[in-house]
Amino acid sequence: IIRLVDVRKVYRVGEVKTIALRGVNLVVYRGEYISIMGPSGSGKSTLLNMIGLLDRPTSGKVYIDGRDVSKLSSKELAHIRNREIGFVFQTFNLISRFNILENIELPLVVRGIPRKKRIKRVLEALRMVGGDESWLPKKPTQLSGGQQQRVAIARAIVGEPEMILADEPTGNLDRASAKVVVETFTRLNKEGQTVIIVTHDPEVANCTDKIYILRDGVIVGAEEPNRD
Amino acid sequence: IIRLVDVRKVYRVGEVKTIALRGVNLVVYRGEYISIMGPSGSGKSTLLNMIGLLDRPTSGKVYIDGRDVSKLSSKELAHIRNREIGFVFQTFNLISRFNILENIELPLVVRGIPRKKRIKRVLEALRMVGGDESWLPKKPTQLSGGQQQRVAIARAIVGEPEMILADEPTGNLDRASAKVVVETFTRLNKEGQTVIIVTHDPEVANCTDKIYILRDGVIVGAEEPNRD
Ligand SMILES: Nc1ncnc2c1ncn2[C@@H]1O[C@H](COP(=O)(O)OP(=O)(O)OP(=O)(O)O)[C@@H](O)[C@H]1O
Ligand SMILES: Nc1ncnc2c1ncn2[C@@H]1O[C@H](COP(=O)(O)OP(=O)(O)OP(=O)(O)O)[C@@H](O)[C@H]1O
Ligand SMILES: [Mg+2]
Ligand SMILES: [Mg+2]
């Protein structure tokens, strides 16, 4: 369970001050299936970074399972991020000098999982995103944009994290590939994983159970999905 | 006018051979407004790179205004690319150590256009994509994904190129921002620029005059847009 209390995030670049989050209050319960929508620049990625413990608020509090995140050591934070959170970045963040196998297995390497088991789980994760074994020896730049996106998703789910945070996971995918990805998120959620998807695509949002609308750094509403 | 004759593109990565294009025949006339759709991995970016003279076919011919591209010197190619083609990359390809002003003005710097004029045209291009002056001193990583995408588009149009090639220009944009971008492409096309958009979004494709469908490296159809 994640609790955000009056979270604000201010970025300063020289003269330019940007208020990315203006007091966000949010509770996400274990096993929820949530999407976050809102205009470009409204703070969605910043919000997801807060929930995913990738960044700290300028003010306000983030609690994970009741623990104040600002009081956790960086070691504890790294442990939670590796074990409990699978993050799909908006810009993929694949490691260009690693091949696809090495990219996807990374969370498992960090945990000390032996090679044979890693390969088995990488193939499983790749299958779940509609990927192909032929991608494994390639480097990220040797894949198409949508293939890279699916590799990023595979990396996020390979460790079976408690919570999956996906920042625009289908922006580079055709309708059919997007469907495969969303069906995987839905199945993982049914199996108990908390799933939060930032998306611009109403069809994706409508597959989740609740849609938060972010506008100019605040949550302005929570909508029911339209299942038509 | 661009003519592709039996264009094939084969990538080899160690053992893995990928046929990205299997004999594409295509003619694009000056002033056309075209979109290209197809599954992830079907060869759309590879095709756009051929049209944009960013890559050479493994076999087959590309003619630009009747001239065989394989016979052009790299100097002539660079000249055409800078003067006549504006390219929006699927992964933006913004220069991370340049600020946004420096990123957008780059095609104009290459042409030797004086500073005052450059700034004027950068502001114009930024406005046309729904961007904001406050972005100019920032670095790309200090912008949201959709803001970076719009900067990439601004850079492609700032030089008023004869042909705009946009590889998934709205994947990171909410509906309203996407609308602004597509309306700009439509206006530029009305003013005479050839516009080719690769997109997964039917709403974007339906704003163009012709939709080519690419599947597994070949063009399998050309559809009329559905204006409803
Ligand atoms: N590192 C940073 N430094 C300065 N400003 C930033 C930084 N990151 C984000 N911003 C600004 O904060 C605001 C929110 O950014 P954020 O990435 O959260 O938006 P977003 O809703 O994810 O947008 P998009 O839909 O385009 O991805 C934007 O105006 C952006 O320019
Ligand atoms: N540099 C490369 N080296 C090896 N294979 C490549 C390279 N670039 C692309 N490919 C392969 O060629 C095929 C076509 O790639 P391309 O990027 O053109 O697809 P696309 O239609 O743009 O896909 P998407 O919609 O996912 O962006 C893919 O199977 C991809 O893996
Ligand atoms: Mg974002
Ligand atoms: Mg592509």
PDB file of all heavy atoms in Angstrom, chain B residues 1-19:
ATOM      1  N   ILE B   1       9.723  14.635 -55.453  1.00  0.00           N
ATOM      2  CA  ILE B   1       9.096  13.319 -55.696  1.00  0.00           C
ATOM      3  C   ILE B   1      10.089  12.197 -55.366  1.00  0.00           C
ATOM      4  O   ILE B   1      11.252  12.257 -55.744  1.00  0.00           O
ATOM      5  CB  ILE B   1       8.625  13.201 -57.175  1.00  0.00           C
ATOM      6  CG1 ILE B   1       8.114  11.781 -57.471  1.00  0.00           C
ATOM      7  CG2 ILE B   1       9.792  13.522 -58.128  1.00  0.00           C
ATOM      8  CD1 ILE B   1       7.453  11.670 -58.839  1.00  0.00           C
ATOM      9  N   ILE B   2       9.621  11.240 -54.605  1.00  0.00           N
ATOM     10  CA  ILE B   2      10.468  10.121 -54.165  1.00  0.00           C
ATOM     11  C   ILE B   2       9.968   8.842 -54.832  1.00  0.00           C
ATOM     12  O   ILE B   2       8.763   8.595 -54.872  1.00  0.00           O
ATOM     13  CB  ILE B   2      10.368   9.914 -52.642  1.00  0.00           C
ATOM     14  CG1 ILE B   2      10.677  11.198 -51.889  1.00  0.00           C
ATOM     15  CG2 ILE B   2      11.279   8.787 -52.191  1.00  0.00           C
ATOM     16  CD1 ILE B   2      12.115  11.449 -51.644  1.00  0.00           C
ATOM     17  N   ARG B   3      10.876   8.073 -55.382  1.00  0.00           N
ATOM     18  CA  ARG B   3      10.489   6.795 -55.974  1.00  0.00           C
ATOM     19  C   ARG B   3      11.332   5.671 -55.383  1.00  0.00           C
ATOM     20  O   ARG B   3      12.563   5.736 -55.401  1.00  0.00           O
ATOM     21  CB  ARG B   3      10.664   6.848 -57.501  1.00  0.00           C
ATOM     22  CG  ARG B   3      10.309   5.553 -58.218  1.00  0.00           C
ATOM     23  CD  ARG B   3      10.605   5.684 -59.732  1.00  0.00           C
ATOM     24  NE  ARG B   3       9.972   6.880 -60.296  1.00  0.00           N
ATOM     25  CZ  ARG B   3       8.697   6.928 -60.686  1.00  0.00           C
ATOM     26  NH1 ARG B   3       7.924   5.859 -60.550  1.00  0.00           N
ATOM     27  NH2 ARG B   3       8.210   8.040 -61.191  1.00  0.00           N
ATOM     28  N   LEU B   4      10.659   4.662 -54.800  1.00  0.00           N
ATOM     29  CA  LEU B   4      11.368   3.474 -54.303  1.00  0.00           C
ATOM     30  C   LEU B   4      11.040   2.312 -55.240  1.00  0.00           C
ATOM     31  O   LEU B   4       9.863   2.056 -55.540  1.00  0.00           O
ATOM     32  CB  LEU B   4      10.918   3.116 -52.889  1.00  0.00           C
ATOM     33  CG  LEU B   4      11.651   3.792 -51.719  1.00  0.00           C
ATOM     34  CD1 LEU B   4      11.430   5.285 -51.728  1.00  0.00           C
ATOM     35  CD2 LEU B   4      11.209   3.196 -50.399  1.00  0.00           C
ATOM     36  N   VAL B   5      12.078   1.647 -55.737  1.00  0.00           N
ATOM     37  CA  VAL B   5      11.871   0.532 -56.665  1.00  0.00           C
ATOM     38  C   VAL B   5      12.458  -0.743 -56.066  1.00  0.00           C
ATOM     39  O   VAL B   5      13.666  -0.855 -55.869  1.00  0.00           O
ATOM     40  CB  VAL B   5      12.534   0.822 -58.027  1.00  0.00           C
ATOM     41  CG1 VAL B   5      12.343  -0.363 -58.972  1.00  0.00           C
ATOM     42  CG2 VAL B   5      11.955   2.095 -58.642  1.00  0.00           C
ATOM     43  N   ASP B   6      11.580  -1.668 -55.721  1.00  0.00           N
ATOM     44  CA  ASP B   6      11.956  -2.989 -55.212  1.00  0.00           C
ATOM     45  C   ASP B   6      13.006  -2.899 -54.082  1.00  0.00           C
ATOM     46  O   ASP B   6      13.987  -3.622 -54.081  1.00  0.00           O
ATOM     47  CB  ASP B   6      12.508  -3.846 -56.351  1.00  0.00           C
ATOM     48  CG  ASP B   6      12.440  -5.328 -56.005  1.00  0.00           C
ATOM     49  OD1 ASP B   6      11.455  -5.724 -55.338  1.00  0.00           O
ATOM     50  OD2 ASP B   6      13.383  -6.066 -56.347  1.00  0.00           O
ATOM     51  N   VAL B   7      12.737  -1.999 -53.146  1.00  0.00           N
ATOM     52  CA  VAL B   7      13.706  -1.765 -52.070  1.00  0.00           C
ATOM     53  C   VAL B   7      13.658  -2.888 -51.034  1.00  0.00           C
ATOM     54  O   VAL B   7      12.606  -3.235 -50.518  1.00  0.00           O
ATOM     55  CB  VAL B   7      13.429  -0.402 -51.394  1.00  0.00           C
ATOM     56  CG1 VAL B   7      14.111  -0.311 -50.043  1.00  0.00           C
ATOM     57  CG2 VAL B   7      13.881   0.728 -52.306  1.00  0.00           C
ATOM     58  N   ARG B   8      14.816  -3.488 -50.798  1.00  0.00           N
ATOM     59  CA  ARG B   8      14.955  -4.517 -49.761  1.00  0.00           C
ATOM     60  C   ARG B   8      15.961  -4.013 -48.720  1.00  0.00           C
ATOM     61  O   ARG B   8      16.919  -3.307 -49.051  1.00  0.00           O
ATOM     62  CB  ARG B   8      15.447  -5.825 -50.362  1.00  0.00           C
ATOM     63  CG  ARG B   8      14.463  -6.485 -51.306  1.00  0.00           C
ATOM     64  CD  ARG B   8      15.111  -7.683 -52.004  1.00  0.00           C
ATOM     65  NE  ARG B   8      15.773  -8.592 -51.067  1.00  0.00           N
ATOM     66  CZ  ARG B   8      15.160  -9.529 -50.364  1.00  0.00           C
ATOM     67  NH1 ARG B   8      13.838  -9.680 -50.490  1.00  0.00           N
ATOM     68  NH2 ARG B   8      15.817 -10.324 -49.529  1.00  0.00           N
ATOM     69  N   LYS B   9      15.700  -4.359 -47.448  1.00  0.00           N
ATOM     70  CA  LYS B   9      16.675  -4.038 -46.405  1.00  0.00           C
ATOM     71  C   LYS B   9      16.827  -5.255 -45.513  1.00  0.00           C
ATOM     72  O   LYS B   9      15.837  -5.741 -44.958  1.00  0.00           O
ATOM     73  CB  LYS B   9      16.230  -2.841 -45.569  1.00  0.00           C
ATOM     74  CG  LYS B   9      17.240  -2.429 -44.500  1.00  0.00           C
ATOM     75  CD  LYS B   9      18.508  -1.878 -45.107  1.00  0.00           C
ATOM     76  CE  LYS B   9      19.539  -1.500 -44.057  1.00  0.00           C
ATOM     77  NZ  LYS B   9      20.747  -0.875 -44.653  1.00  0.00           N
ATOM     78  N   VAL B  10      18.041  -5.745 -45.407  1.00  0.00           N
ATOM     79  CA  VAL B  10      18.336  -6.909 -44.581  1.00  0.00           C
ATOM     80  C   VAL B  10      19.336  -6.496 -43.502  1.00  0.00           C
ATOM     81  O   VAL B  10      20.348  -5.868 -43.801  1.00  0.00           O
ATOM     82  CB  VAL B  10      18.942  -8.057 -45.424  1.00  0.00           C
ATOM     83  CG1 VAL B  10      19.190  -9.278 -44.548  1.00  0.00           C
ATOM     84  CG2 VAL B  10      18.017  -8.394 -46.583  1.00  0.00           C
ATOM     85  N   TYR B  11      19.016  -6.801 -42.282  1.00  0.00           N
ATOM     86  CA  TYR B  11      19.946  -6.560 -41.176  1.00  0.00           C
ATOM     87  C   TYR B  11      20.537  -7.892 -40.743  1.00  0.00           C
ATOM     88  O   TYR B  11      19.817  -8.893 -40.670  1.00  0.00           O
ATOM     89  CB  TYR B  11      19.225  -5.951 -39.970  1.00  0.00           C
ATOM     90  CG  TYR B  11      18.666  -4.556 -40.185  1.00  0.00           C
ATOM     91  CD1 TYR B  11      17.297  -4.350 -40.296  1.00  0.00           C
ATOM     92  CD2 TYR B  11      19.505  -3.447 -40.238  1.00  0.00           C
ATOM     93  CE1 TYR B  11      16.769  -3.075 -40.459  1.00  0.00           C
ATOM     94  CE2 TYR B  11      18.996  -2.167 -40.397  1.00  0.00           C
ATOM     95  CZ  TYR B  11      17.621  -1.990 -40.513  1.00  0.00           C
ATOM     96  OH  TYR B  11      17.096  -0.724 -40.674  1.00  0.00           O
ATOM     97  N   ARG B  12      21.834  -7.902 -40.486  1.00  0.00           N
ATOM     98  CA  ARG B  12      22.461  -9.114 -39.956  1.00  0.00           C
ATOM     99  C   ARG B  12      23.087  -8.797 -38.604  1.00  0.00           C
ATOM    100  O   ARG B  12      23.874  -7.858 -38.479  1.00  0.00           O
ATOM    101  CB  ARG B  12      23.542  -9.629 -40.910  1.00  0.00           C
ATOM    102  CG  ARG B  12      22.981 -10.508 -42.012  1.00  0.00           C
ATOM    103  CD  ARG B  12      24.074 -11.111 -42.888  1.00  0.00           C
ATOM    104  NE  ARG B  12      23.479 -11.858 -44.002  1.00  0.00           N
ATOM    105  CZ  ARG B  12      22.795 -11.295 -45.000  1.00  0.00           C
ATOM    106  NH1 ARG B  12      22.643  -9.984 -45.026  1.00  0.00           N
ATOM    107  NH2 ARG B  12      22.260 -12.049 -45.963  1.00  0.00           N
ATOM    108  N   VAL B  13      22.709  -9.570 -37.582  1.00  0.00           N
ATOM    109  CA  VAL B  13      23.339  -9.418 -36.269  1.00  0.00           C
ATOM    110  C   VAL B  13      23.853 -10.791 -35.873  1.00  0.00           C
ATOM    111  O   VAL B  13      23.070 -11.646 -35.456  1.00  0.00           O
ATOM    112  CB  VAL B  13      22.317  -8.923 -35.224  1.00  0.00           C
ATOM    113  CG1 VAL B  13      22.971  -8.833 -33.859  1.00  0.00           C
ATOM    114  CG2 VAL B  13      21.754  -7.573 -35.646  1.00  0.00           C
ATOM    115  N   GLY B  14      25.136 -11.029 -36.058  1.00  0.00           N
ATOM    116  CA  GLY B  14      25.676 -12.358 -35.799  1.00  0.00           C
ATOM    117  C   GLY B  14      24.900 -13.367 -36.629  1.00  0.00           C
ATOM    118  O   GLY B  14      24.796 -13.228 -37.850  1.00  0.00           O
ATOM    119  N   GLU B  15      24.294 -14.324 -35.961  1.00  0.00           N
ATOM    120  CA  GLU B  15      23.527 -15.357 -36.663  1.00  0.00           C
ATOM    121  C   GLU B  15      22.197 -14.836 -37.193  1.00  0.00           C
ATOM    122  O   GLU B  15      21.646 -15.347 -38.157  1.00  0.00           O
ATOM    123  CB  GLU B  15      23.212 -16.505 -35.684  1.00  0.00           C
ATOM    124  CG  GLU B  15      24.449 -17.229 -35.154  1.00  0.00           C
ATOM    125  CD  GLU B  15      25.279 -17.787 -36.292  1.00  0.00           C
ATOM    126  OE1 GLU B  15      24.715 -18.516 -37.118  1.00  0.00           O
ATOM    127  OE2 GLU B  15      26.476 -17.433 -36.385  1.00  0.00           O
ATOM    128  N   VAL B  16      21.679 -13.822 -36.476  1.00  0.00           N
ATOM    129  CA  VAL B  16      20.294 -13.409 -36.736  1.00  0.00           C
ATOM    130  C   VAL B  16      20.194 -12.507 -37.970  1.00  0.00           C
ATOM    131  O   VAL B  16      20.814 -11.451 -38.036  1.00  0.00           O
ATOM    132  CB  VAL B  16      19.727 -12.654 -35.499  1.00  0.00           C
ATOM    133  CG1 VAL B  16      18.270 -12.281 -35.752  1.00  0.00           C
ATOM    134  CG2 VAL B  16      19.878 -13.508 -34.249  1.00  0.00           C
ATOM    135  N   LYS B  17      19.427 -12.970 -38.969  1.00  0.00           N
ATOM    136  CA  LYS B  17      19.195 -12.168 -40.180  1.00  0.00           C
ATOM    137  C   LYS B  17      17.748 -11.678 -40.150  1.00  0.00           C
ATOM    138  O   LYS B  17      16.829 -12.474 -39.997  1.00  0.00           O
ATOM    139  CB  LYS B  17      19.452 -13.047 -41.405  1.00  0.00           C
ATOM    140  CG  LYS B  17      19.065 -12.392 -42.733  1.00  0.00           C
ATOM    141  CD  LYS B  17      19.510 -13.282 -43.892  1.00  0.00           C
ATOM    142  CE  LYS B  17      18.425 -13.436 -44.945  1.00  0.00           C
ATOM    143  NZ  LYS B  17      18.910 -14.113 -46.162  1.00  0.00           N
ATOM    144  N   THR B  18      17.544 -10.382 -40.235  1.00  0.00           N
ATOM    145  CA  THR B  18      16.188  -9.830 -40.244  1.00  0.00           C
ATOM    146  C   THR B  18      15.937  -9.124 -41.571  1.00  0.00           C
ATOM    147  O   THR B  18      16.702  -8.252 -41.964  1.00  0.00           O
ATOM    148  CB  THR B  18      16.003  -8.787 -39.111  1.00  0.00           C
ATOM    149  OG1 THR B  18      16.481  -9.320 -37.881  1.00  0.00           O
ATOM    150  CG2 THR B  18      14.548  -8.396 -38.978  1.00  0.00           C
ATOM    151  N   ILE B  19      14.870  -9.542 -42.266  1.00  0.00           N
ATOM    152  CA  ILE B  19      14.508  -8.862 -43.513  1.00  0.00           C
ATOM    153  C   ILE B  19      13.485  -7.784 -43.160  1.00  0.00           C
ATOM    154  O   ILE B  19      12.315  -8.067 -42.965  1.00  0.00           O
ATOM    155  CB  ILE B  19      13.952  -9.853 -44.549  1.00  0.00           C
ATOM    156  CG1 ILE B  19      14.954 -10.983 -44.773  1.00  0.00           C
ATOM    157  CG2 ILE B  19      13.663  -9.122 -45.854  1.00  0.00           C
ATOM    158  CD1 ILE B  19      14.472 -12.056 -45.728  1.00  0.00           C
TER     159      ILE B  19
END
